[in-house]
Amino acid sequence: GQQVMQIPQYQHVQEGEDFTTYCNSSTTLSNIQWYKQRPGGHPVFLIQLVKSGEVKKQKRLTFQFGEAKKNSSLHITATQTTDVGTYFCAGWGGTGNQFYFGTGTSLTVIP
Amino acid sequence: GAVVSQHPSWVICKSGTSVKIECRSLDFQATTMFWYRQFPKQSLMLMATSNEGSKATYEQGVEKDKFLINHASLTLSTLTVTSAHPEDSSFYICSAVPNPIYEQYFGPGTRLTVT
């Protein structure tokens, strides 16, 4: 079954509001990666976190890797219409060091 | 930046025929390439991991005799869907990495429709 779950599955926000997606893994991950997929497009790499408790920022985006390396979050401040898309977390982990893609959170920004 | 191409971008084939999809890393050598399948509004499902010069590693539930993967060079991997059926219709995406722990660079995907 699915090893990496994301919540919420869908999120609609007014432009200018903040947005957060949470990523939870059933297994410890050696790293966490975040991707963005625009409608009709392919996933594009955003960032990678490796260290426990690591926090990284990219302009309005803040990424966090949990202390136990089993969860992560992506927070977008003051959303814009260009933020529309599905955000996936992904990472390597498990006994066989497999690669897991999260279930994704689809973000809609209402202008 | 790293660019990955896929060919064809879309294909329609008849049930029972085979289809080959190519994935190329254009400006870097990919030690590993991944093949995913994505259904509408769903996440990516990893099908197999392919390393240059060795047999692909298939995920549980993926038929290796149906989805043939060949990674003949550091810049090319192919996925052949053999004896395709309508239920194989999907969006197939490949990704390539210069090193397994690095980020993945995704191809634009191939939309397969089996009639």
Side-chain angles (χ1 to χ4, degrees):
Chain A
Q2 189 62 255
Q3 300 279 352
V4 181
M5 303 296 293
Q6 283 180 251
I7 54 172
Q9 187 176 2
Y10 302 97
Q11 183 78 61
H12 291 69
V13 299
Q14 258 337 106
E15 188 173 16
E17 291 182 339
D18 292 355
F19 159 77
T20 303
T21 171
Y22 298 92
C23 171
N24 296 288
S25 171
S26 58
T27 188
T28 302
L29 301 172
S30 57
N31 63 4
I32 195 84
Q33 299 174 348
W34 283 92
Y35 295 83
K36 177 183 178 181
Q37 185 175 22
R38 291 181 182 274
H42 59 276
V44 174
F45 174 79
L46 295 176
I47 207 161
Q48 174 171 278
L49 305 171
V50 179
K51 299 177 183 176
S52 169
E54 188 172 9
V55 178
K56 285 189 177 181
K57 291 189 175 184
Q58 283 182 352
K59 297 183 180 178
R60 294 179 294 105
L61 277 62
T62 301
F63 304 84
Q64 187 168 17
F65 198 11
E67 293 290 342
K69 302 184 81 172
K70 296 180 74 172
N71 55 72
S72 180
S73 65
L74 158 59
H75 179 81
I76 302 178
T77 304
T79 55
Q80 300 175 359
T81 54
T82 52
D83 295 326
V84 166
T86 301
Y87 293 85
F88 293 99
C89 63
W92 293 89
T95 53
N97 198 33
Q98 296 173 272
F99 189 76
Y100 300 102
F101 246 85
T103 49
T105 296
S106 175
L107 172 64
T108 300
V109 179
I110 305 164
Chain B
V3 179
V4 176
S5 70
Q6 265 184 257
H7 177 80
S9 55
W10 60 271
V11 57
I12 302 173
C13 70
K14 292 186 176 180
S15 188
T17 61
S18 295
V19 174
K20 180 185 282 188
I21 303 170
E22 291 187 350
C23 177
R24 293 181 184 271
S25 56
L26 299 184
D27 51 3
F28 67 98
Q29 291 187 329
T31 56
T32 304
M33 287 185 173
F34 300 89
W35 287 95
Y36 295 87
R37 186 172 179 177
Q38 187 176 33
F39 292 102
K41 298 188 177 182
Q42 292 189 24
S43 184
L44 282 76
M45 183 192 79
L46 180 63
M47 298 175 66
T49 303
S50 104
N51 294 295
E52 185 266 338
S54 61
K55 289 185 179 180
T57 303
Y58 290 81
E59 295 299 303
Q60 192 172 11
V62 179
E63 300 175 59
K64 60 181 180 182
D65 294 331
K66 180 168 185 62
F67 299 100
L68 301 178
I69 291 172
N70 184 284
H71 194 157
S73 75
L74 285 171
T75 59
L76 173 64
S77 177
T78 60
L79 166 68
T80 301
V81 183
T82 62
S83 187
H85 289 101
E87 57 265 31
D88 298 324
S89 299
S90 189
F91 192 52
Y92 292 88
I93 308 179
C94 72
S95 71
V97 291
N99 182 303
I101 64 170
Y102 291 170
E103 65 266 28
Q104 299 184 32
Y105 300 100
F106 285 84
T110 296
R111 175 77 57 193
L112 170 64
T113 301
V114 184
T115 61

